[in-house]
Amino acid sequence: MTAYSASAHQAATELAIQPLWQYLLALGAEPERLAPLLTHARALSYQPGECLLPQGEHQTFAYFVVEGIVRACHYTQEGCERCKEFYFEGELCFLYSSWLKQEVAPYQLETVTACRLVQMPLAVLNELTMQRVQLSLLKQQLLYKEQKEAFLLLNTPEQRYLHLLQYFPLWVERLTHAQLANYIGITAISLSRIRRRLQDSR
């Protein structure tokens, strides 16, 4: 590779990972210390249904969602799937518990739609210079977990659906009927009944 082409390649790579760069800066990363850590970050494209992390394996990467939807789900031995979470544009996708405990992933990470992602080695978050980012991510996750528990424990299925309509309308718009029902914790038939009942009450 010539010096010119190498320089052009580096510039293209830096531009492609810019969304991840901005995200980490907003969490408290220091620009001069962040740059060398992202030398192995890569911008990648995926088709719907591709596996990013197989269930039961150690995760080595985090994925910043530039475009598309990713989900974390668990597949039982009986063939049932349990959806843990969906990740949309502007979110960093990885499994916190597996990262902190250095254990295999109990969930599979997979694309729901065609996606543009920035893949980052998870080891980046373990660097001493990234402690502010670690703390910001953990605070963010703790608040989200509290909200998720309240969402599931303190609301009826109908209230959960109304909550998503009010606060996460993109979820209702972009997820399939079955995916939405799975996340709420009900069957697709039950969700259809809820929607029909709400429509009739207008």
Side-chain angles (χ1 to χ4, degrees), residues 72-135:
C73 58
H74 176 80
Y75 291 95
T76 69
Q77 292 183 344
E78 295 75 26
C80 297
E81 61 180 58
R82 298 286 184 267
C83 181
K84 174 184 182 291
E85 206 53 69
F86 290 98
Y87 305 85
F88 290 77
E89 288 88 355
E91 296 182 338
L92 189 63
C93 170
F94 69 100
L95 303 175
Y96 281 78
S97 180
S98 297
W99 166 53
L100 292 171
K101 297 166 71 174
Q102 294 294 298
E103 294 179 348
V104 297
Y107 302 97
Q108 178 161 300
L109 295 180
E110 59 189 30
T111 58
V112 176
T113 65
C115 289
R116 289 195 300 117
L117 309 174
V118 180
Q119 182 194 71
M120 177 186 75
L122 202 52
V124 167
L125 296 180
N126 297 326
E127 295 289 335
L128 289 177
T129 56
M130 294 289 281
Q131 286 186 339
R132 289 172 63 185
V133 173
Q134 292 175 22
L135 183 58

